Structure formats: structure tokens, C-alpha cells
Amino acid sequence: MKKEIAKIKTLFEALPYIQKFSNKTVVIKYGGNAMVEENLKKSFARDVVLMKSVGLNPVVVHGGGPQIGAMLDKIGKKSEFVDGIRVTDDETMDVVEMVLVGRVNKEIVGLINHYGGNAVGLGGKDGGLVKAKPMKIRGKKMGCAGTVESIDPSVINLLDSSDFIPVIAPVGAGEGGASFNINADTVAGRVAAALNAEKLILLTDVEGVLDKKKKLLSTLTLAQAKKLITTKVAKGGMIPKLKCCIETIKGGVGAAHIIDGRVEHAVLLEIFTDKGIGTAIGLK
Amino acid sequence: MKKEIAKIKTLFEALPYIQKFSNKTVVIKYGGNAMVEENLKKSFARDVVLMKSVGLNPVVVHGGGPQIGAMLDKIGKKSEFVDGIRVTDDETMDVVEMVLVGRVNKEIVGLINHYGGNAVGLGGKDGGLVKAKPMKIRGKKMGCAGTVESIDPSVINLLDSSDFIPVIAPVGAGEGGASFNINADTVAGRVAAALNAEKLILLTDVEGVLDKKKKLLSTLTLAQAKKLITTKVAKGGMIPKLKCCIETIKGGVGAAHIIDGRVEHAVLLEIFTDKGIGTAIGLK
Amino acid sequence: MKKEIAKIKTLFEALPYIQKFSNKTVVIKYGGNAMVEENLKKSFARDVVLMKSVGLNPVVVHGGGPQIGAMLDKIGKKSEFVDGIRVTDDETMDVVEMVLVGRVNKEIVGLINHYGGNAVGLGGKDGGLVKAKPMKIRGKKMGCAGTVESIDPSVINLLDSSDFIPVIAPVGAGEGGASFNINADTVAGRVAAALNAEKLILLTDVEGVLDKKKKLLSTLTLAQAKKLITTKVAKGGMIPKLKCCIETIKGGVGAAHIIDGRVEHAVLLEIFTDKGIGTAIGLK
Amino acid sequence: MKKEIAKIKTLFEALPYIQKFSNKTVVIKYGGNAMVEENLKKSFARDVVLMKSVGLNPVVVHGGGPQIGAMLDKIGKKSEFVDGIRVTDDETMDVVEMVLVGRVNKEIVGLINHYGGNAVGLGGKDGGLVKAKPMKIRGKKMGCAGTVESIDPSVINLLDSSDFIPVIAPVGAGEGGASFNINADTVAGRVAAALNAEKLILLTDVEGVLDKKKKLLSTLTLAQAKKLITTKVAKGGMIPKLKCCIETIKGGVGAAHIIDGRVEHAVLLEIFTDKGIGTAIGLK
Amino acid sequence: MKKEIAKIKTLFEALPYIQKFSNKTVVIKYGGNAMVEENLKKSFARDVVLMKSVGLNPVVVHGGGPQIGAMLDKIGKKSEFVDGIRVTDDETMDVVEMVLVGRVNKEIVGLINHYGGNAVGLGGKDGGLVKAKPMKIRGKKMGCAGTVESIDPSVINLLDSSDFIPVIAPVGAGEGGASFNINADTVAGRVAAALNAEKLILLTDVEGVLDKKKKLLSTLTLAQAKKLITTKVAKGGMIPKLKCCIETIKGGVGAAHIIDGRVEHAVLLEIFTDKGIGTAIGLK
Amino acid sequence: MKKEIAKIKTLFEALPYIQKFSNKTVVIKYGGNAMVEENLKKSFARDVVLMKSVGLNPVVVHGGGPQIGAMLDKIGKKSEFVDGIRVTDDETMDVVEMVLVGRVNKEIVGLINHYGGNAVGLGGKDGGLVKAKPMKIRGKKMGCAGTVESIDPSVINLLDSSDFIPVIAPVGAGEGGASFNINADTVAGRVAAALNAEKLILLTDVEGVLDKKKKLLSTLTLAQAKKLITTKVAKGGMIPKLKCCIETIKGGVGAAHIIDGRVEHAVLLEIFTDKGIGTAIGLK
């Protein structure tokens, strides 16, 4: 019996957070290892279901680079990359959309529903959710690699008003029905801003934001986050993630979190415990 | 970090129950030790708050015999008892109502609010909630000791539709504005039936319903519960409690639980764990 | 038949007032003789019921000094007074809350319901209605005699949206679940301001506000009301009542009325006849 | 002051009736002297406004025989009558519709609005309210004298859901846009049935239904009403009125009243006093 | 089959207009030949029904000068005119109201309903829609010829929220229940402003607004419209129509159209084709 | 101008159908040539947009056999067929889901949005829309070729309550997150039944149902439809289509239409003209 009581007590640790976030929206960028390892996939799906059950509105935006690569390999299609972004010709874009919207998205939807949730998958065309435009890098046309022009959050708001959980693939709709491949962090940030979300959470494969001595920084003000970029303490892939967080907070979102997706229940640990597990930026 | 993860995992044990009981009403008769010991009082208040936070509608009905006795002693008023029920003259009834509605009820309201809930205390007169009539025992008039004539659940439904938690003192309104002292188990049962509640939970100072060998019976069908009375296995105060549960289930309530209020978080343990801690009657 | 017609015609006198106040809130401080004499009690209860029936939202705040005194006498407890305010120790506060919330409040609820209304009694803890803080008078701690820190009118608004009539006892909730005894005029004024009420009506045991020659002043501007205090025409208990009215009007309430509770149907006469019976302050 | 109090007390006589009829619909056939004498017109308009103010939904159906006759005289048009019903040729029907819908109806609307109501006039064509068909009397075609085929109460229900008072002229819409002149009692009865009204009230120029000795019958069961016709105690114009009441009650309306429109405030006296002033049929 | 396909394609020409005007209000002044010739009457009624069916809210305001003249002739009543406006004595006003509200209005209502619409006719008294005041021309009193004092659009909004089509006769309510005859263009313009309509459409018996060379001007800016008046290019009856349009646009209406009511389906052609058929003023 | 008028008149041909189907649901199985030829694709998208604009709720269910075949060819994967149904192994199912949900579905969504609609694509997993189970043919396991177990139309109803147009890919969710490939006609029929749709429309590459002499049958009763199967007049692919229509009508749908998708605007021609272009079954 004591064991049971001990368990019940744990419920109470989450209570202030449940009350604090009741009916608030949290946008989660889901990607990396958390999308690959079976345990992490399950733990993520269950986290999302639990969040909805206790009154939050989770919105998932996912990536899918490795799955796209595997499919392109299968059909013998090669890609050029510029600054880590895939130059996306029309044939490649067909594969990107099929894999992201038709496979990865539906796998996540199926997983969430398996654990008792009620997910609905969306691409950027659905309900006019993500309008996109082509991007260039140093003058070079990137084909169907694009960026966000605008977000129309109507369909997400409709789903959130009921018990559905939106799961979004980072594909945008361009002029004349064209599709664009967009960075998932960017889509997540822009969706969070359009929804006036309480939080943006970026799941990564690192511990969080580190200082010079490679020690985890648990919280950052907006100013500190900017300084990490200008002082070049932040390096590589962390730079665009920090920029995305900074833009999102400027867009009206309460806080942005960069957390370690390799930890089971990373999302819940970040939201429902005092300490959190990654780096929280702009927290008030 | 492992400790944190372990805690989060506990949240998931409750999830199926949260989903199962979402937006369901649970009426809890609160009394005995759980109303006296500081730890138990706090654990009860927090249980109720957590229930509301995860989507249930808890409705509390409380007793208050010891507090009434103490006050009557203080003013030097003596009472006669018949079959354990206080013969209640008008002066005594004044004290009963003051103590139950003015002190015990408000203490519970205050406690629940202290832990983040939003309780509203009600006597049977409020919103015409409990209509009462006088009772007789073997022909003997019991004064203002009464029983339930009818329940008008409108005010509870109104409070439940918002984020308030109703806390009910077992005082009924008779003809011409008279007050009646009613057994709290009875009020809880009748309120549960009027609300089409999912569960009635009676907090007691025993482990639950016991068999001949004094072993706890975890579940009972309605037929088994009746048989415990006819075969006189059930004794003393357990008999009216069993009868109350049987009547309540007949009135349309899903199940009735007799549980041990001396255990911390007894209510949550009964609702949110598989095994429960007391006796569940009529569970499907 | 002529008598019947004469009666019907009276209905029309009230019509413009019914139309004028339709769906408006009127907060009434109920106390003094009107709470003691049988005829006045009944007439008050019926006034409140009629107000609700024709579309107003009456909210009752009551006092209870004499009933508290009688109970304290009964248990042999003495009180010290500073400037007419009871120094309230913990034991006294227990009695105050029991008497106000458990007896006086429920008697008023019962009376209103007896005449066809649907009253719900509330203490300051219910729904977090009245947050209180301790008061000092010239540096002297007054124990549990407190004053209003803030009002959360949610539960009243919920009840008003349905056909319930809120009846409020002037007990506030302090830090940590403590109770405070608050002046009922103050509570009524602050509740009226929080509700953006159309009117605050203070029932007293005098005719209204009098001028130097002891003649009733039927109407006062806010400036005139202030001047009565500074010129010391207003004396004794009338000074805090005038101050309360002035504060309430500043808080956004349309007008405040000080009327003679010793007159049967005083409230209706003030609201539903041109002349009124007491002093109207700040009327536009 | 005593006079004022006496007046207020009259309000309370109406209270049980206000509560009883709250949100109920009462259809009133308005005609005869009550539509001609200035005092009676005003008293009627004010009665209707007061009914709406205290929560009833009055619906007025009016006649207009004398005003039609006057207009026909003015343009030198003569009419034949069969059993008191005007044989209505097309030119006559034009005048009937103009007078009823364009003059009489709007005068009533204007009068009600003058006393603070918010009336909206309707002919049978408006919102498809009254579908009509031609009538024959003993084989004789009556031209545009018609009877009710069906009622579509949608527009009345819409107006009643807001604070509007519908005022209906007894003109029906036939096939192909033709207009028909219909007996106003019949329209009132059918509208009452379509609305599931609480009461139908027919204003007449007699005291009510009389027995053999010319004494007023205050109440009649449905059976008694029928017997008055079969035993020929009811004579002349009272026969169709009784038949209309009987049909209306059979159609689901709570009760039908035949009252004396020559009495000021006849409608209110019938509804808001115990005794009433005319004959109530089918009252439970 | 090709013919059928050709027809279907026509539907698509209207689609952008349907989408553009979805749930927008269009006020149409209906008068002149369009109210006299059978074909035009039918085409107008059907246009209005189709507009409502595809999601617009048409509101019709009609005139009736010729019908009033005919009736006055019939009863041998002569009228004086000042600047084309009838000096309206009380007897004449009775005829005006009867003819406009009782005949013309109901004929339009009947026609719209015949084609599947659900029209409700309104005079200015209904629901307090049009408050009027007397007008003078160069100091001369015009009797019951009046102008608009204010519009209360509540009853129109209520009807528009359901599937009803309001049809308004240009009669206003003055002080004390008096009626006033008001220019229908003026009523249409003021109603359009009160409803924040998308468009005001004036049906006339000319092609539209013409330039010096009698050529139709398809579009006019507000400035151009004013200049046509100051430069005296606009003449006669076109001047008040232009002024009405200018005032209406200043009152917040999107655009005003002066179109040729002698063309079948004039209203639909103006709204649902690119070119339109008359003069559009203030179009953005 | 005459040409314009002629066009407007065409609008009126559609009016009775617009009124008849206002707010009704029509489920359209979209496939075959209509999904391949550019003109037909555009005409279909525009038909759906127009339907939504005039008040219907179109729901699209699409197939995608050829696109699946092309993709399988590309990756060099061969399929076995039994009775025309693809034996679908897991690798094949991955391709099926990607192509149907990720490419075909999104292309249709993009096309509808391009013409002004607001489509949202759904697979059977989204919102738990289509629960599927494996099928066997003559004992042979068909892998992931499945059939419908149940439909949960909540997400469609939510989208229909707003201005979204659901577009459904025929992929169902099995136990444990597995995907199943289901015949699109079957999904369309079951979805129509679950929505209590007014109509099911199957777009085919033939004229409709033909009689023995290869002449088009414009209408069929349910009995006639069954007889065509039992008498073997219906042959090949028409047999399952007829069976699907019969089952759907039994499931409560008003009528089922088998029409020629090779005709431009086939859907509108069937719904909005008297004659229609294919075979209507079960029409009342």
C-alpha cells in the first residue's frame, strides 16, 4: 500500500503545472532520435496524450530528414546540399511530400491514437495552414526548398476546440499549388506565434544549450540567448535553433525550450517538473 | 534524472483513469478520522483539487458529529440518542446547523481553496438543494432529525459547469423554513442519484467491507452486498452504509465504494489505481 | 371590480422602473431592525423575490451583530470594542463565522426561498469571493477583525446568470485559510463595485441622511455627500456609511441609497417609486 | 408613506402569477370596443407591455370589421353578407388588406411602442405565417373570405426569443400570392395551438359566457362548454367563440378565456388576479 | 449535353461574387417600372430569393408613389406638391400608410415568397425601425411628409440572422404614434448605413448616371460624384439620388449603385457580373 | 446585355437544387479519368468549391490505383492481384499510404484550395476516422488489403461545421497502428452512411448503369438495382459498384449516383440539373 501512496503523491507534483498550463497551447517540434528509437517514440506519444488529458493543447510539428533520405536512396535519387539544406527539384519534392505527409505524419498520428489520443495529421496545404515561398541561399535557387510566408491557424484552432491533437508535416503551399519543403523548427516557431502559444519546445539530440565549458544552461534570457550567438559560444546547428527561439518569443510566445529528445518523457519532464531537463529561454 | 523520469512514469498510471472518468461526477461522503487528523485533512483536500484539475467533477458531502458534540458540550446542552441518531430539539438544531454549515463546511471549503481548488459550500437550503421531512424511529418523534424528501441538483449542476467544487453540509430544508439534521451518508447517496453520478465514495474509519474471517472484500456485486446483510455477516454501522450503497446504485449511480479514510489519499488511490484500497460495490 | 382595476393600475407605476432596471444588479446591505422584526423580515424577503421575478439581479449582503452577541453571551465569552469594532480573537471568530454563515445566512436563504425565491448563501471563502486582511486601529491589532483585500465576483456572476439569488455573509478569507470578520457595509460596497452594480442600498435604522435641521435629504450629489462629512453635519454611524457610499460610487456603481429598514417594503419603495423613502446619493 | 406601501403591496398580488406564467405564451384576440374607445386602447397597450416586461410572451391577433366597413363606405363599395361573413370580391379584399395590415395593425403597433413595448406587425404573408384557403358557406363561394389551412410560427418564435411583441392581422396567403380575409378568432386560436400557448384570450363586448339566467359562468370544463352549445344555452356570436375555444384547447393550448374587453385592463385582471373577470374554459 | 455543360459554366462566373459577398448585406431600393411591369416584378423577386440562397442578406426598401396616387384619386383626394414632395395632411397620410404598408409591401412579400423566399414586411413603426420627424421646405410645413431621425436596425438584424428577407415600407414613426411619409431612397440609404451594409442599390428608370454626352458612367469615385452635382452635369431627379448615395457611403456603406430597373435581373447583373449594368459609386 | 441576362437566367435553374440541398452532405467518390485529365481535374475542383459556396457540404473520397502502380514500378516492386484486388505486403502498404495520403490526397487538396475552397486532407488514421480489418478472398490472406470495420465521423462533422471541405484517402487504421488499403468506393459508401448523407456519387469512366441494349438507365429503384445483379445484366466492375450503392442506401443515405467522370462538371450536372447525366439509384 505504501508504494501506491508514494505513486499518488507524484501526481501532486504535476498539479501546479497542470493548473498553470490549463487550456494553454504548447507547440512541440518533434524530430531526431525521439522519432527513431522505439522507446522514445512511445514515450513521446504518451506524453502528448497525457498533456491533452490534463487540459493542455499540444500541437506537434515533425521533421523527417532521415526517412526522406532513405526513400531517395531507394529510388536512386541524389541531392545536393547548400548549408545543410537540400536543393529540392520537383521529383525530389514529390518524394519529400509523400514521405513526410504520407508516412512520417501518419505514423505519428497512429502512435498517438494507439495510446488513447485523437490526432489529426495536417500538411501545410490542409486548410491553407502554411503558405510558403521559395528560398535562395547566397543567390542560389534552392528549388522547392522554401520558407514560411504566412500561417493561417484556423484549422488548428478548430481541432483544438475539440479533443483532437494536430500533427503537422513541414510542407508549405506555394503559388499555383506548388509544394515546398520547409525546415520543421521554422514551421514550429511560426505556428507557435500564430497560435499565441504558451511554449515552443524543440526536441534535439543534445542536452540543451551549453556554455563555454560545455555545461548545460538551464535558463536563458532573450538577451543572453542573443549574446551566445554574437559571442560565438553557440555553434553549428545550435545557432539556427537559438535564432528560431528568439524569433518565436518576439512573435509573442511565452517561452521557448531546447531539450534533449534522447531522454524518455523529455517533454513532460520539461513542463511538469521544477527543474526541467534542458534550456528554457525567455521564461518569466 | 532517473528519479524524475520515474516520477513522470507514475503520471501515466493515472492516465487511463483520467480518460475513463473525464467529465464524470464522483460524490464523496467525507467524515470520520479523515476530517480530524491534519495529514488526512490535507490529503483529502488535495485529492479533491487534483480530481477537478484532471477533468472529474468531485462533489463533497460532509458529516460533523464530533464537532456538534463539542459545541453542545460547550453550551451545556445534552442530547438523547435513539439507535445512534440524535433526538434534535430546536435549540440543538440551531447548534447543529451553525456548526455544520458555519464551521465544518467552511473549514473544508477553506482547505480545498488553500490547495488551489475553488470550492463553494452549500447547505440543504441553498438553491433548494435538499428538501427534508421529519423522521420517526419506532413511533418516537426525533424532532429535527430528518430524512431526505427530494433533491434539486440545479445549483450543483451550475457549479459543476464552471470550475467550482460543491461542498455540501447535511442539513435539509423542511416546510416553512425549518431545518433538519440528516445523516450525511444518506444525503451523499441521494445527491449522487440525483446527479447520475459515476461513483459514490463513503469514507469510513474501517478498511472496507469484511467477510466472516474479517478479510477485506475488494469487490461486491449488488446481490453479494444484499446477502451480507441478510446473512448478518455485515454488522453495526456497516449495515446502514451497505443499504445506502445499494439504494444509491438502484438510483442509477455506476458504483459505490466504502473505503478507509484513515489512509492518506484514500480517494485517489481508490479511483486512480487498479487495485483500489476498499470495497467497490456494483462495479461493471 | 373597481377595486381589482385599482390594483392592476398600481402595477403600472412600477413598469417604468422594471424596464429601467431590467437585468441590472442591485446590491442590498441587509441589517438592523429589518433583520429582527418578523414583519420586516418577511417584507424584505418578498421584496427580493419580486425584484428577481421582474428581471433585476438582487444580491444580498447581511450583518449579524446582535445574533453574534447573543451567542457569545451564551458561551460566556466577552469582547473588547475599539471604535465600535469588536476585537476578535480566534475563539470569538469561530463563533462569528458559525453564527453569520451557519445561522443568520441560512435563515435569510430559507426566508427568501419560502416566498418563492431561489437563494444561495455564500461566505467569503466560497468561490474565493472575499479575500480579507487584518485591520489595525491606531496601531492596535484587532485580531480577526479584518477588511476587504479583493473581491472575486465569479460565483455571483454564475448564480446571477441563472435564477439564483446570492446571499452573502460578511466573512472574508485570509492567508492560510484564516477567517476574518468584516463590516457588512464595506463588503456590500466592494461587491457592488466588483459587479458594476446599478445600485448599492444600505438598509439602516434611521430615516436616511439628515440635514442640520434633522430633515431628510432625498438626494445628494457626490460633492454634497462629501461636504456633509467635512462640515460635520453627518455624525456617528452615518459617517462610515457615507464614506462607504462615496467609495462605492467612485468604484463605478451608479448610485448608493441609505434607506430606512424599519419601513415595510423599504427596498421596493426606494426602487419602484418616484419619490423613494430615503437618501439617494450620486443618482444621475 | 402608507399610501406608497399600500401600492407596493399590490405588486405582490401579481407575483405568483408572474412566476407561474414566466416565459409562457399568451395569445390575445383583440377587437370590439377595446379597439375603439381611447381609454380601452391605451389600457390594452399597457397591459401587453407589462406582460412582456414581467416575462410573458404576449401575441396579439386583431380584427377590424368596423374600420373595413368605414373605408368601403368611403369608396362607395357595398358588400353582401352570408351568416355574418362578408362575401369578399378582389376589390374588397384589396381594401380589407390595406385597412387591416396597413392601418389597424400599425395603429396597434404604434400604441404598444408608445407605452414602451417593441411591437412588430405581421400579416399572414409575412414569413409564411398563415396559409389560407377559400371557404364556402352552404355551397356559396365567398370570394376572398377564407379560412386557415396551416400556420408556420417560425417568425413569431424568432420575435418572441428577442424582446419583440408580435401583432398579427388576420389576413392569410393563398395559392399564387392571393390574399384571404379570415375570422380573427380563428386565426388567434390556430396561432395559439401552433405556439403551444399557455392561454388564448378572446376580448369581446360581453361579460363572458352566461348561463340560462344570464349569470356569468366563471369557469367551464371542456365538457360544460360543449354542452352549452348542444343545449342551445349559448346563442348567436357566442357559439363560434365557444367552438373556437374548444378547438384551440383540443389543439394543445392550456386554457381559453372569453372576457369583457369593455373593462379597463381586462387582460391583466384575467391573468393576474385570482378571480378573473370573464369565463375561463378548460383551466386545470 | 453540351448545352447543359454550358449552363453549368455560367454558375462559375457568379462564384467569385458569391464568395466575395458571402454573409454581406445589400440594401435595395425597389421602385419605378420594376414595381409595375409583370416581368420585371417577377425577375426582381427571383433575384432577391437567389441572393439569399447563395448567402447574401438582401434588404428591400420600396416606394409606391403611383399606387398612392391611384388610391387618392379613387377617394377623390387631391394633393399639393412642393419640389416634387407631397404635402401630406392626416387623411392623406392614412391612405399613404394603408397603401404602402397594407398593399404594396404585402404584394412584394407575397411575390418573394411565391418564388421560394421567406419575406417579412415591415413599416417604420415595427420594432421601432424608423424614427421620423416632420420636414419643412423653404419654411413651408409639409404635414406628414417627414424625414429620418434615426434607425434602430435590431429587428432587421434578427430577421437576417434567420432565413427571413426584410421588406421595408418607407413610413416612419413620429412622436406620439404619428406616421410620416418618407422618401424611399432616403430610408434605404439610412438603413444601409445603420446595417453597415456592403452595398446600397437604387433601382431607377434610367440607365444610370450619365456624363455630359449622355454616355453611361460605369464607375464614379466619391469625388467624381460630388463634382457631377457642383458642375450641374447631374440634373433633376438624379441630384437627390447622387446626394443619397454620397451620404450613404459617408455613413460607412461600401458602395452605392444607381442601376436601370427596366432591365430584367438588373440587381443580379450588377452584383454578379464584372461589368455591371449601371453606375457604381465609391467602389474600392 | 442580352447575353448577360441569358447568363443570369441560368443561375435560376440551379436555385431549386440549391434550396433543396441547402446544408445537406454529398459524399463523392473521385477517381478514374476525372483524376487524370487536366480539364477534368480542374472542373471537379471547381464543382466542389461551388457546392460548398452555395450551402452544401461536399465530402470527397478519392482512389489512386494508377499513381500507386507508377510508384511501385519506380521502386521495382511487383504485386499479385486476386479478383482485381492487390495482395498488399508491408513494403507495398508503405508505398500505398505514401502515395495516397502524401501525394494524391494533397494534390486534390491543393487543387480545391487553388479554386477558392478550403480543403483539409484526411487519412483513415486521422481522428480515428476509418477503423479497418484485414480481408481474405476465398481463404487467401490479402496482407494489408483490408475493409472497413467502423467509421467515426467526428472529425468530418467538425470540419463541415466550419468552412472546410474534407478530402479522404482510403487508408484505414487497424489494430496496433497498422495501415490497410481499402477500396475507395467502399470507404465513400460507409462514410456517407455514417454522415447520414443526402447523396453518394460515384465518379466512373462509363456513362452510368446500362440495360441489356447498352442504353443508359437514368433512374433505378433499389429493387431494380438488385435485379440487375441477379439477372447478370450488370457485369464486371459495375457489380461491386451497384452493391456498394445498395448497401449505402440501406445504411440510410438518400440516393446513390453512378455517373460519368469523363464529362466536365459531371457532379454539378448530376446535382443541379433535372435530367442529370448518369444513373440515380433509390431517388425518392
Side-chain angles (χ1 to χ4, degrees), chain E residues 11-223:
Chain E
L11 280 171
F12 288 102
E13 226 172 273
L15 187 55
Y17 301 92
I18 290 174
Q19 292 176 326
K20 185 175 170 192
F21 295 127
S22 175
N23 218 14
K24 299 282 168 62
T25 297
V26 175
V27 176
I28 309 158
K29 155 61 197 309
Y30 176 50
N33 274 307
M35 261 176 72
V36 177
E37 285 180 28
E38 278 310 306
N39 279 351
L40 296 176
K41 282 159 70 172
K42 286 179 192 169
S43 106
F44 174 77
R46 294 172 70 200
D47 286 10
V48 167
V49 171
L50 190 131
M51 288 167 75
K52 188 80 184 183
S53 290
V54 297
L56 282 91
N57 288 317
V59 173
V60 177
V61 179
H62 62 82
Q67 293 88 336
I68 292 168
M71 189 67 190
L72 288 172
D73 286 353
K74 202 168 194 173
I75 63 165
K77 178 86 192 178
K78 300 233 179 302
S79 299
E80 183 193 350
F81 285 81
V82 177
D83 291 0
I85 293 171
R86 194 188 301 271
V87 185
T88 311
D89 63 19
D90 286 358
E91 194 189 4
T92 304
M93 187 62 221
D94 272 3
V95 173
V96 167
E97 189 164 11
M98 273 197 306
V99 170
L100 286 179
V101 175
R103 188 140 79 189
V104 178
N105 184 273
K106 293 315 161 193
E107 193 192 333
I108 300 167
V109 165
L111 209 60
I112 291 174
N113 292 359
H114 180 69
Y115 286 103
N118 205 348
V120 172
L122 297 168
K125 289 176 183 167
D126 293 309
L129 177 56
V130 184
K131 279 234 170 76
K133 56 187 176 191
M135 71 189 301
K136 284 187 186 177
I137 299 184
R138 294 186 303 277
K140 184 172 173 60
K141 286 190 184 171
M142 299 293 292
C144 297
T147 188
V148 174
E149 187 172 312
S150 63
I151 300 288
D152 178 346
S154 320
V155 69
I156 301 181
N157 285 328
L158 185 70
L159 294 169
D160 278 353
S161 73
S162 188
D163 66 341
F164 297 106
I165 300 167
V167 177
I168 301 167
V171 172
E175 286 295 303
S179 296
F180 284 92
N181 183 16
I182 312 182
N183 176 269
D185 290 352
T186 308
V187 171
R190 291 292 297 271
V191 163
L195 292 168
N196 289 315
E198 187 70 14
K199 281 182 186 303
L200 168 70
I201 295 180
L202 301 182
L203 277 185
T204 65
D205 287 347
V206 296
E207 256 188 282
V209 184
L210 307 180
D211 66 11
K212 276 184 212 171
K213 297 169 182 173
K214 307 293 174 200
K215 233 192 96 212
L216 178 66
L217 293 158
S218 280
T219 58
L220 287 174
T221 62
L222 209 54

Side-chain angles (χ1 to χ4, degrees), chain B residues 14-88:
Chain B
L15 187 55
Y17 301 93
I18 290 174
Q19 293 176 326
K20 185 175 170 194
F21 295 127
S22 174
N23 219 12
K24 301 280 169 62
T25 297
V26 174
V27 177
I28 309 157
K29 155 60 199 310
Y30 176 50
N33 275 309
M35 259 174 73
V36 178
E37 285 180 29
E38 278 311 306
N39 278 351
L40 295 175
K41 281 159 71 172
K42 286 179 193 170
S43 107
F44 175 77
R46 294 174 70 199
D47 285 10
V48 166
V49 171
L50 190 131
M51 289 168 76
K52 187 80 184 184
S53 290
V54 297
L56 283 92
N57 288 317
V59 173
V60 177
V61 179
H62 63 83
Q67 292 88 337
I68 292 167
M71 189 68 191
L72 288 172
D73 286 353
K74 200 167 195 172
I75 64 166
K77 179 89 193 175
K78 300 234 179 299
S79 300
E80 180 192 355
F81 285 81
V82 178
D83 291 1
I85 293 172
R86 193 188 300 272
V87 185
T88 312

